[in-house]
Amino acid sequence: MTSAPLAARLTQVAGPLFFPVTAYGPDGALDLDAYRAHVGEGVAAGAAAVFACCGTGEFHALTPEEFRACVAAAVEETAGRVPVVAGAGYGTALAVQYARIAEEAGADGLLAMPPYLVVADQEGLLRHYTTLAGATSLETIVYQRDNAVFTPETVVELARVDGIAGLKDGYGDLELMQRILSAVRTEEPDRDFLYFNGLPTAELTGLAYRGIGVTLYSSAVFCFVPEIALAFHRALTNGDDTTVNRLLDGFYRPLVELRGKGRGYAVSLVKAGVRLGGRDVGEVRPPLSEPQPAHIKELAEIIERGRAVLRSGNGDGTGHGSGNGSGDPDGAGTGTGTDGGAA
């Protein structure tokens, strides 16, 4: 953990937000050596932050002891170079327990995922996240998706809670997000509240979210083809829409169409991509299952087409050059999600 506020560190990001997969060995147990290597590679490649044990990291499949070990390993591997944000979820009591474990393990912040299963009203959601934010000294980012969708009025109240730093949107209603931004800006004009695009394969909607002022986003692609993720991030940041559209057409749209061919592919396909890149991180744990072999082959072909876009020029985010970068959620959650999670 570092002394600098998480919100301040995240507003100075120079790369994608990295949601590492959790590595397992052949016996299904944690492989912390492989996990550390995966985290270290992402940080060295240019990740702006590490979101450990979130959706892509299979938070739902980890015991509290495994969660503690992974968060501590991520903190040790990053060595303060970038912030480490840990997932926290389930009902309020368990979410608080995971938050305290994350704090003890040295995390810099929390990604608060939807409560388990229940569909609560706005008052109940506000109580849940207020309690979670007050349980530790860690700054908390609230994840909107599935059974945790907020009215603008509720987000204004969340923004007033000490310890809640921002909102990650995995719901995808841009009209709602515009109203949320407007309400917080109007009611809390001095509040520096952060917003994140947290949709699966967030790059696909990057232009739309940029249009309403949301520039931070999670990148599951960073896990397995960081050079593409970085080239896209540079292009989006620099307003190089030509490069953005070439990568959308040649890589991201085909990837999203492949992701839609299987349940849980927002996680399992990412993990397959990491293995294709040469890092043995094991398979996903039940209830998720591995992608079909034909789909893994298709993933490999899509990755090669994306790299070909970079090699063909205008893929470096500056409008010229080769764009050969190095390095990198979708993090998702529990609750009533339909796809088993994402970055």
Side-chain angles (χ1 to χ4, degrees), residues 311-328:
R311 290 194 298 269
S312 67
N314 294 336
D316 64 349
T318 62
H320 61 276
S322 66
N324 289 328
S326 59
D328 190 349

Side-chain angles (χ1 to χ4, degrees), residues 174-193:
L174 283 175
E175 188 265 351
L176 174 61
M177 280 300 294
Q178 182 66 84
R179 290 192 292 118
I180 286 171
L181 268 69
S182 176
V184 174
R185 187 168 58 239
T186 301
E187 298 298 325
E188 294 294 321
D190 298 324
R191 181 72 164 95
D192 186 18
F193 201 61

Side-chain angles (χ1 to χ4, degrees), residues 64-259:
E65 294 75 20
E66 290 173 327
F67 174 82
R68 182 191 300 272
C70 283
V71 174
V75 170
E76 179 183 352
E77 188 64 35
T78 59
R81 290 174 289 171
V82 299
V84 174
V85 179
Y90 302 120
T92 305
L94 274 176
V96 166
Q97 180 181 342
Y98 277 96
R100 289 172 176 164
I101 291 171
E103 184 176 41
E104 292 166 2
D108 297 285
L110 299 171
L111 178 62
M113 292 180 283
Y116 174 71
L117 197 59
V118 297
V119 179
D121 61 17
Q122 296 293 297
E123 180 182 356
L125 289 171
L126 183 60
R127 289 178 57 199
H128 172 77
Y129 292 107
T130 299
T131 300
L132 178 57
T136 72
S137 64
L138 300 180
E139 292 182 83
T140 299
I141 299 164
V142 175
Y143 196 177
Q144 168 167 266
R145 60 171 292 163
D146 302 327
N147 57 329
V149 177
F150 308 102
T151 65
E153 294 76 16
T154 298
V155 179
V156 169
E157 292 303 318
L158 289 171
R160 290 170 175 162
V161 175
D162 289 339
I164 295 183
L167 179 74
K168 178 182 178 183
D169 180 48
Y171 186 56
D173 184 335
L174 283 175
E175 188 265 351
L176 174 61
M177 280 300 294
Q178 182 66 84
R179 290 192 292 118
I180 286 171
L181 268 69
S182 176
V184 174
R185 187 168 58 239
T186 301
E187 298 298 325
E188 294 294 321
D190 298 324
R191 181 72 164 95
D192 186 18
F193 201 61
L194 303 182
Y195 300 94
F196 305 78
N197 174 1
L199 288 171
T201 317
E203 288 92 340
L204 196 71
T205 52
L207 286 170
Y209 275 81
R210 188 183 71 179
I212 64 170
V214 178
T215 58
L216 294 168
Y217 65 89
S218 55
S219 177
V221 168
F222 189 86
C223 285
F224 59 98
V225 272
E227 65 270 28
I228 294 176
L230 286 168
F232 184 91
H233 186 273
R234 286 192 296 268
L236 189 65
T237 300
N238 295 335
D240 179 5
D241 290 353
T242 298
T243 297
V244 165
N245 286 328
R246 291 179 74 247
L247 288 170
L248 287 174
D249 297 346
F251 174 77
Y252 284 102
R253 178 178 57 81
L255 177 65
V256 168
E257 290 172 349
L258 174 60
R259 190 193 69 210

